[in-house]
Amino acid sequence: MGRLLRRYKSPIYGNYRKWYVVCGICTGLVMCAAVMVLWLSGNPINSPETYLTDAVLGVCILFSAYLYKDKLPEEKVFFKELMLLGLGIGVVGGLVYGLLLLVYGQMDCEFVERCATVRISFLEVEDSVGKKEAIELIKGYSIGDWAFIGGFRSAVMSVILAFVAALIFGESSKKSPLNDTLNKK
């Protein structure tokens, strides 16, 4: 197994771990700011995951990948490194966003009820017994559960967004069989 993994090993040119921690914290804070501006404008948070947080996460991952590549001496970064960078940004940003939801849930007493109502409206279970059990389960979620759902979903969404960033900004390894095939045409 180790031989197989070494075969596809590519060099890493920068310090992506430090970069994803710093950019992840900034991404989480920007996600929090976007949601808080929405809340201050009179729109309460009805769900731990929104299109707004997905859009902010996507823009931040793409911008961070661009800046990371731009700061490297040869502006050379590989697909694997950008995938790790995007995933790290998403995990750290998701943690910061989850903490915001935890604090917000303490301030807004109706947050849990609104999230449960929205989630229940998505249920399409035909079996009345199964639907009743699902509704009771969702109504039993606490503030911590909703905060975990929001943070975890942001982290999972970062995998897709990191893939997009890696496709846009990444370079393929010169020893890759795919690269050899593309260069022959």
Side-chain angles (χ1 to χ4, degrees):
M1 184 67 167
R3 185 175 174 191
L4 178 68
L5 292 176
R6 273 180 268 152
R7 180 177 172 197
Y8 295 103
K9 185 176 181 184
S10 64
I12 291 180
Y13 293 103
N15 187 356
Y16 71 94
R17 289 182 181 108
K18 179 182 176 186
W19 193 261
Y20 76 64
V21 169
V22 171
C23 290
I25 291 171
C26 293
T27 298
L29 292 175
V30 171
M31 288 168 62
C32 294
V35 170
M36 293 312 288
V37 165
L38 197 64
W39 176 61
L40 291 174
S41 67
N43 299 319
I45 301 173
N46 294 326
S47 178
E49 65 270 345
T50 64
Y51 292 123
L52 176 66
T53 56
D54 292 343
V56 169
L57 182 65
V59 168
C60 288
I61 286 177
L62 287 171
F63 186 66
S64 299
Y66 172 76
L67 288 178
Y68 180 75
K69 181 179 179 176
D70 193 45
K71 288 195 182 271
L72 293 175
E74 297 178 18
E75 293 186 7
K76 190 175 190 179
V77 64
F78 288 103
F79 185 85
K80 173 180 76 173
E81 190 173 357
L82 287 174
M83 284 295 294
L84 293 170
L85 179 74
L87 179 62
I89 290 171
V91 168
V92 174
L95 284 171
V96 172
Y97 178 64
L99 290 174
L100 163 85
L101 288 177
L102 199 58
V103 171
Y104 176 78
Q106 298 293 329
M107 295 185 313
D108 185 0
C109 300
E110 298 173 357
F111 172 68
V112 173
E113 292 174 28
R114 284 194 312 271
C115 287
T117 303
V118 169
R119 190 59 53 109
I120 289 169
S121 69
F122 293 144
L123 288 178
E124 296 180 8
V125 180
E126 296 296 325
D127 179 22
S128 62
V129 175
K131 189 171 184 174
K132 287 179 184 177
E133 290 173 357
I135 289 172
E136 291 304 315
L137 178 68
I138 291 171
K139 285 184 177 181
Y141 285 178
S142 67
I143 296 169
D145 295 328
W146 291 113
F148 176 78
I149 289 169
F152 183 75
R153 184 181 177 278
S154 295
V156 170
M157 188 65 157
S158 71
V159 173
I160 298 167
L161 299 170
F163 183 74
V164 171
L167 285 176
I168 292 171
F169 299 114
E171 295 184 22
S172 62
S173 175
K174 292 179 182 172
K175 296 179 182 178
S176 169
L178 179 62
N179 197 17
D180 292 341
T181 306
L182 293 174
N183 288 334
K184 287 180 183 178
K185 291 186 179 182

